């Protein structure tokens, strides 16, 4: 039967950690501790979705960060510099990630709805395994536990925007057609991951990195500010190739119903 059999979900900003603050704040802290170089929260968000070593590398290549680095050291960032920042980042992230393990509003109910439709729940993350081993049980204790998970350093080819983590979910879950899978993410590299894996890709414009607000900030925003931020986030996700963009995971069942209708007519991603 041509229908969605599995969803593959990102973590921070998609299922837990509204606004994706756990990783971004730690990048800022790691740069400061390792080399006394300042990066802003907005800069730290730009490469979100990549593996964390690759994220640091991309962050160092941003013109604004590179200019500060060059002014301080008279040279561009090296692989050794990235290693030192990563070594600083990891223990900070492992210690902090459990504080951002609460499921985003609507996630637990959405997962229950999907499971009632016999849809399997996969997941993957830009977090390395050492971080995921802390995050998984903390999230499970608060009501969210996917059927499987893959960390960015689990597979030799690498992480996003390549398809490998998404495809490992397909293998683990036993799904026979990638066109019967939906990849959901709040950042561009994760959308590209789904596209490269041959899946339907759904972007989340409000709950995650591109919107970039805490739940409390979001709740206090004016409708105009929400609309402006949503529009900007959606544009980035559509530009990355998203087939659909919705506010949060709570809207996913409606998207899947639409995809199922398209599959029934013979459409593919």
């Amino acid at each position: 039967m041509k229908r969605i059999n599995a969803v593959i979900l990102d973590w921070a900003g998609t299922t837990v950690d509204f606004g994706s603050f756990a990783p971004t704040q730690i990048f800022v802290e790691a740069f400061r501790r390792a080399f006394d170089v300042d990066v802003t929260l907005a800069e730290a968000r730009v490469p979100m979705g990549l593996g964390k070593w690759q994220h640091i590398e991309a962050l160092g290549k941003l013109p604004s960060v590179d200019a500060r680095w060059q002014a301080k050291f008279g040279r561009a960032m090296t692989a050794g510099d990235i290693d030192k920042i990563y070594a600083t980042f990891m223990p900070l992230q492992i210690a902090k990630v459990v504080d951002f393990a609460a499921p985003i509003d609507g996630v637990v109910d959405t997962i229950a709805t999907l499971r009632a439709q016999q849809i399997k729940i996969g997941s993957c993350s830009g977090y390395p395994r050492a971080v995921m081993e802390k995050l998984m049980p903390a999230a499970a204790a608060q009501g969210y536990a996917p059927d499987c998970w893959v960390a960015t350093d689990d597979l030799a080819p690498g992480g996003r925007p390549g398809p490998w983590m998404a495809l490992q979910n397909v293998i683990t879950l036993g799904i026979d057609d990638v066109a019967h899978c939906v990849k959901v993410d709040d950042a561009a590299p994760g959308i590209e991951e789904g596209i490269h894996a041959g899946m339907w890709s759904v972007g989340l414009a409000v709950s995650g990195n591109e919107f970039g607000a805490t739940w409390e900030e979001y709740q206090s925003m004016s409708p105009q500010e929400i609309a402006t931020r949503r529009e900007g986030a959606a544009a980035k996700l559509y530009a990355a190739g998203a087939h659909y963009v919705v506010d949060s995971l709570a809207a996913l069942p409606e998207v899947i119903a639409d995809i199922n209708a398209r599959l029934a007519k013979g459409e593919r991603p």
Side-chain angles (χ1 to χ4, degrees):
M1 184 176 177
K2 294 182 178 181
R3 59 182 294 275
I4 294 302
N5 299 134
V7 298
I8 299 165
L9 309 174
D10 178 49
W11 280 81
T14 297
T15 53
V16 301
D17 185 11
F18 190 99
S20 194
F21 279 88
T24 48
Q25 290 178 338
I26 301 302
F27 284 122
V28 172
E29 183 67 18
F31 267 76
R32 184 178 298 122
R33 288 197 187 192
F35 285 103
D36 195 28
V37 170
D38 290 330
V39 298
T40 68
L41 204 57
E43 289 168 336
R45 289 188 179 282
V46 174
M48 190 57 65
L50 299 176
K52 301 315 176 193
W53 195 96
Q54 292 76 15
H55 187 125
I56 294 166
E57 179 182 39
L59 191 48
K61 291 179 179 178
L62 291 180
S64 56
V65 176
D66 179 60
R68 267 175 250 138
W69 193 277
Q70 297 267 9
K72 189 175 183 68
F73 299 110
R75 57 171 176 78
M77 185 185 291
T78 67
D81 297 332
I82 299 169
D83 287 341
K84 183 175 180 179
I85 297 169
Y86 185 80
T88 304
F89 168 88
M90 280 296 290
L92 294 172
Q93 187 68 91
I94 290 168
K96 194 68 175 175
V97 73
V98 295
D99 295 336
F100 294 85
I104 292 167
D105 189 53
V107 165
V108 173
D109 289 344
T110 297
I111 297 302
T113 297
L114 298 179
R115 286 197 165 123
Q117 298 172 16
Q118 286 75 55
I119 293 173
K120 295 179 180 180
I121 313 298
S123 72
C124 55
S125 176
Y127 283 136
R129 174 160 284 269
V131 177
M132 286 301 302
E133 286 175 343
K134 296 293 185 181
L135 177 56
M136 260 296 302
Q142 299 185 67
Y144 172 60
D147 298 323
C148 71
W149 58 273
V150 181
T152 195
D153 57 347
D154 281 347
L155 304 172
R160 299 164 181 156
W164 305 287
M165 289 194 294
L167 294 176
Q168 183 60 57
N169 273 269
V170 171
I171 294 167
T172 301
L173 296 173
I175 306 302
D176 63 0
D177 192 334
V178 291
H180 298 166
C181 298
V182 176
K183 174 70 209 312
V184 186
D185 210 293
D186 62 293
I191 296 298
E192 294 171 5
E193 172 188 29
I195 297 298
H196 293 158
M199 302 174 178
W200 302 91
S201 280
V202 177
L204 304 183
V206 172
S207 68
N209 180 69
E210 301 300 348
F211 195 88
T214 67
W215 174 254
E216 292 75 20
E217 289 169 342
Y218 169 58
Q219 292 293 299
S220 65
M221 280 181 190
S222 68
Q224 181 178 358
E225 183 177 2
I226 291 172
T228 299
R229 285 195 182 217
R230 181 191 286 122
E231 183 179 358
K236 291 180 181 179
L237 295 166
Y238 277 126
H243 296 97
Y244 299 82
V245 175
V246 294
D247 285 0
S248 72
L249 201 70
L252 187 59
E254 296 174 19
V255 172
I256 289 175
D258 191 71
I259 294 173
N260 283 339
R262 294 174 67 178
L263 286 169
K265 292 187 290 186
E267 292 187 46
R268 293 180 68 84

